[in-house]
Amino acid sequence: MPYVAVSALSHPGLLRERNEDSLVAGPWTLCATVTENPQTLVFPLGTPLVVAVADGLGGHPSGNVASSLVARRIASVGSLLTGEDLVRDALNACNRAVHEAAGDEGGDLTGMGTTVAGVVVLPGSALVFNVGDSRVYAATRDGLRQVSVDDSPPLEPGRRTTSLVTQCLGGSVGYHAVHPHVTTAPLTPGERYLICTDGLSDPVTTDVLDAVMREHDDVRAAFELWKCAIAAGGPDNITLAVVRVTDDGGTDESPPGSGS
């Protein structure tokens, strides 16, 4: 019987005082907290399974509140997300919920916002979605390929990354609509996705991400990817999930001290 294995972690990095990222895997959420080692969850393939990360906006108040709200809301409706329109509706509802929770101008939560990116795993296909600059990569035999769409302004000459986003959930005074990126991709057993906040994808180049995903499976890949972000200075919160569809539900051997 096919299964989906999700190996994930969330860590504040080396420079931020707190973790403002959140993560959802099916009904399970990890909201603005820390995992010391990767955790692995295994789900039967069948009912829609949503796996996503949410990155509370740095420099905005209560980014952790926004990312937690979105993660929990997505978890609550994840099993109902059977098509692209339903995913768009869910993300638009998250955007409205963040704005409503932020309240009137001048409150403690005014302007809070978050990015979001993830996949809904279905039998034979995956719905890939994002708002903002958190990313989804497909890991195939041909290498790592970004399948999400960065909501970022054009890069200045000589720059590889930017902390600016052109849209997010919430993040402004007064309601602003969003236009989520949602696409459908084929999915076969053995394929994997890497879902991450920019605390991984900004300091670590795609070539390095690709090399780690090629060399390691599941839990070990998540562990090594985190190590790469820390080695690169850990400038931001680091949240990631490696998603794999498998025929038997097995997972690879965990690194020393890891949880599963």
Side-chain angles (χ1 to χ4, degrees), residues 45 84 119-128 136-141 145 147 182-193 243-245:
L45 178 63
E84 291 185 14
V119 298
V120 180
V121 182
L122 304 168
S125 66
L127 304 173
V128 179
V136 180
Y137 297 91
T140 69
R141 293 178 180 179
R145 175 173 55 90
V147 289
V182 186
T183 58
T184 302
L187 185 68
T188 58
E191 290 188 350
R192 294 192 296 170
Y193 283 93
V243 180
R244 175 170 59 92
V245 178

Side-chain angles (χ1 to χ4, degrees), residues 219-239:
V219 173
R220 189 78 204 192
F223 184 70
E224 295 296 332
L225 289 168
W226 169 79
K227 285 174 59 179
C228 288
I230 293 297
D236 201 352
N237 304 154
I238 307 157
T239 301

Side-chain angles (χ1 to χ4, degrees), residues 4 18 38 52 63 106 108 136-137 162 164 171-172 179 195 201 249 253 257 259:
V4 184
R18 63 182 181 182
D108 291 341
V136 180
Y137 297 91
T162 176
L164 301 176
S172 63
H179 302 281
I195 305 165
S201 58
E253 184 179 352

Side-chain angles (χ1 to χ4, degrees), residues 149-216:
V149 179
D150 290 344
D151 287 313
S152 301
L155 293 174
E156 298 177 2
R159 290 185 61 89
R160 190 179 64 83
T161 64
T162 176
S163 61
L164 301 176
V165 294
T166 54
Q167 70 168 350
C168 63
L169 304 178
S172 63
V173 177
Y175 176 77
H176 283 81
V178 294
H179 302 281
H181 306 281
V182 186
T183 58
T184 302
L187 185 68
T188 58
E191 290 188 350
R192 294 192 296 170
Y193 283 93
L194 169 62
I195 305 165
C196 64
T197 61
D198 63 356
L200 176 65
S201 58
D202 275 2
V204 184
T205 65
T206 301
D207 287 347
V208 173
L209 299 178
D210 180 37
V212 172
M213 292 293 288
R214 284 179 182 273
E215 184 175 355
H216 302 289

Side-chain angles (χ1 to χ4, degrees), residues 88-116:
R88 292 189 183 93
D89 290 345
L91 295 175
N92 284 319
C94 285
N95 183 47
R96 287 191 294 271
V98 173
H99 280 291
E100 290 171 1
D104 297 330
E105 185 175 358
D108 291 341
L109 303 180
T110 299
M112 72 174 181
T114 182
T115 68
V116 66

